[in-house]
Structure formats: C-alpha cells, structure tokens
Amino acid sequence: GELSAATYDAVAPLLAEDMTARCMVAPVGALRDTGDDLYILTDWPPEKRLITDEEPCMYLGPDSLALADLASSLAKGKRVADVCAGSGIQGLVATRAGAASIRWVEAEARAAAFCRLNGALNCVEGDVVVDRVNDVADGTYDLILANPPYVATPSSLSYDAFAAGGPDGYAVLCDVVTYASKHLAEDGLLACVFELNGPPETLFAKVALAWASGGAMHARCCVVHDVLTERTSPKAVAERRGGAQSEAWLPHYPR
C-alpha cells in the first residue's frame, strides 16, 4: 500500500543514505509461519543508537521476538489487536500467520509511523490508532498482544517512553489488562510481556483489580517466567539501567 503524507513525513529522516546507521532492518522470517521475506524496521538498542534527540521506537529484543513467536501460533483466523505496538512486529507476524484482521494501538506518534511503514513494506493492511490504550473505546478481539512499557522507573528520573512503566513497572500493564477486559471476545486471550518486580502476589492483586475495573469478572491467568540469574538480579538490573544512579533504581526492584 502507499504511505500517507503524514507517515512519510514522520519516517522521511529514516530513508536517507544513513538509514542503517539510524535504525535496524531485521529479518524475522525464522519465526513460525511468517515467510522468509518479513522484515522489521525499527530503532537500534540504546548502546548502538546514534540519534538521541528523537523519542525512540522499541528495538527488537528477546521479549519482542518471544511474543511474536507466540503470536504466530495463536493468530490464525483471529481478530487481533497489537497494543503498545512499537514497530508493529507482533501484529505483522500475526497477520502473516493468518489473522483475520489487525489493529495496532500505539501512543507514540513516531512508533506508530514505524507500524505504518512496516505494514507497507510487508504488504500488510491494518488499522493504526495513535492513542494511549486506556483512551481507545472501540473494537472487539479474539487475541490481544501487548508488550507494554514495564521497566520500574524512579519518578525523579527520565527513561525511554517505550520502556518506562512507572515506579513499580505495572502502570501501563494494568491499563492493558483493563483494555483487554473491555475488548476481548468471549474465550478471547491476552498475551502480554512484563517484568516481575517483587512478590507475585502484589502483581496479581493489581492485575485482578485492573481486570475487574473493565467490567469483566471471570478470567484464567497463566504466567511463564524466566529463571532468575546473576544478570537479572535486582542489583545487576539497577546497575545496568541506572549506571551511576543505580542506588536510585535499586528500591524499585525488590526481591
């Protein structure tokens, strides 16, 4: 499909000769049922990013790829929403895997432009809504995919919008759960990536309240988690994210 003028204006800087220095072009055809010709354009991870005066779009990390791989096995014949969509990878993979329809919801205008561009590059048609997930009123879906900002971030410090999830990391996650409560069809499924900060009981209480606030009362919940390693220990995470300010970050990662 053709790019709209607004989309072209938003991504025009990416199309210059230095495009590969500004952003990554990643083949994701190794995922199930996506075909060998699916490519995603998005920003580099922070350590490789050269441009620092733009709000970055989520790079392709292991969380993005894991959720996309799950989408490829769940999406066939489903009405799908990809919320907190970033580059749109989950929705693109879902569509390639046979989704009946796709809608991307993304609050950041620049990331939404990546959704449109990636859709056009891969000949995937879908609706892109530029808004916070808790402000989107319409739509009913069989499958909602979400990789929300989940980094527990000190309120006194700034962090990339695609990652900052409030002091406990659950602020946007709870908005996503409420959205799912309102917009999932009967027997629908929310597949979501998040980071567990502190006791699971604290998270489950917040998620249950968020689900009930959307008007739904019954749901089944399954959590699959990585094993805690030295690299994912609270101290290591605080140092990696906070650097010299790691002491300000550490209280946000209780055991």
Side-chain angles (χ1 to χ4, degrees):
E2 295 184 359
L3 297 180
S4 69
T7 300
Y8 182 82
D9 289 344
V11 301
L14 306 175
L15 306 179
E17 292 181 359
D18 66 342
M19 182 180 74
T20 56
R22 293 173 59 90
C23 54
M24 63 190 299
V25 183
V28 293
L31 299 176
R32 291 172 287 184
D33 302 321
T34 63
D36 295 331
D37 59 342
L38 181 63
Y39 287 82
I40 303 296
L41 184 69
T42 190
D43 282 323
W44 287 105
E47 64 272 15
K48 294 185 178 181
R49 194 180 303 149
L50 300 180
I51 308 300
T52 59
D53 60 350
E54 301 168 326
E55 184 59 55
C57 183
M58 174 65 183
Y59 56 91
L60 295 186
D63 50 353
S64 300
L65 295 174
L67 185 57
D69 193 49
L70 183 63
S72 70
S73 66
L74 296 175
K76 188 174 182 178
K78 304 290 181 59
R79 296 165 293 177
V80 179
D82 179 3
V83 304
C84 304
S87 64
I89 177 176
Q90 279 79 226
L92 288 166
V93 170
T95 304
R96 283 293 187 89
S101 62
I102 178 65
R103 167 179 274 190
W104 290 279
V105 178
E106 171 55 51
E108 297 295 327
R110 186 168 179 273
F114 272 105
C115 287
R116 296 189 190 97
L117 178 61
N118 284 320
L121 289 175
N122 292 284
C123 299
V124 170
E125 295 185 1
D127 181 25
V128 180
V129 177
V130 187
D131 210 341
R132 295 178 61 85
V133 65
N134 53 332
D135 292 328
V136 179
D138 61 332
T140 300
Y141 307 99
D142 306 299
L143 174 64
I144 295 176
L145 305 164
N147 188 354
Y150 57 65
V151 172
T153 309
S155 56
S156 60
L157 301 175
S158 61
Y159 205 63
D160 290 336
F162 71 75
D168 62 2
Y170 301 147
V172 185
L173 171 64
C174 288
D175 289 342
V176 167
V177 171
T178 299
Y179 176 86
S181 175
K182 295 177 179 178
H183 296 281
L184 276 175
E186 187 174 356
D187 294 327
L189 174 68
L190 166 65
C192 187
V193 177
F194 61 90
E195 189 170 81
L196 183 63
N197 299 308
E201 295 80 9
T202 301
L203 169 64
F204 295 152
K206 288 178 177 287
V207 166
L209 182 61
W211 181 262
S213 71
M217 297 306 296
H218 301 289
R220 289 172 292 177
C221 179
C222 176
V223 176
V224 179
H225 65 86
D226 291 333
V227 176
L228 185 67
T229 66
E230 183 177 343
R231 185 178 185 277
T232 58
S233 68
K235 185 174 185 295
V237 171
E239 289 176 350
R240 188 164 61 251
R241 291 173 175 165
Q245 297 176 306
S246 62
E247 291 301 317
W249 287 72
L250 190 56
H252 296 265
Y253 302 102
R255 292 185 179 275

